[in-house]
Amino acid sequence: MGEKRCPHCGKWSDWNQKLEDPCDHCGKPLGGEDLEHRNRDRQKAQERAESWIFYIREDDSDFVKFWKTVGNTFYIIYMSILSFFAWLIAALPG
C-alpha cells in the first residue's frame, strides 16, 4: 500500500494502486484524469463494438442473431485466409 495525492482536494490518502480507490478526506476517486481517460476509452470501445454490422444485441430476434452469427463466422474465416496469405508472402523471401 502506498500514498497518493488526491487530484480533487490535494491531501495525501492511502492508495492500493487502483484508480477507483476513494480519497480518505473527500471520498472522490484517486484516479483523477487517468480514471476519466480509462472510462472514455471503454466507452469508445463499446461504441465501436456496437457499430459493427454483425454486433449481436440482446433485443435482436433469434433469426437475426443466427444470421449475424453466420456473418461473424464467415468474416473470421475470410480474415484467417487473408492473414495466412499475408504470412505466406512475408515468409517466402526469408
Side-chain angles (χ1 to χ4, degrees), residues 22-80:
C23 174
D24 296 336
H25 306 284
C26 67
K28 294 182 180 178
L30 291 172
E33 291 182 17
D34 293 333
L35 180 62
E36 293 171 10
H37 180 69
R38 187 182 71 185
N39 289 340
R40 277 194 308 265
D41 285 348
R42 284 183 179 172
Q43 183 180 7
K44 287 179 184 178
Q46 182 66 25
E47 289 172 1
R48 280 193 306 272
E50 289 177 0
S51 68
W52 171 243
I53 189 170
F54 297 123
Y55 178 75
I56 300 173
R57 293 177 176 80
E58 291 183 20
D59 59 343
D60 286 342
S61 67
D62 290 337
F63 179 77
V64 172
K65 286 181 183 179
F66 171 76
W67 286 108
K68 284 185 177 182
T69 303
V70 169
N72 278 327
T73 303
F74 279 117
Y75 179 77
I76 290 171
I77 292 169
Y78 172 73
M79 292 307 291
S80 299

Side-chain angles (χ1 to χ4, degrees), residues 77-93:
I77 292 169
Y78 172 73
M79 292 307 291
S80 299
I81 292 170
L82 285 180
S83 298
F84 172 74
F85 283 127
W87 171 82
L88 190 63
I89 290 169
L92 284 178

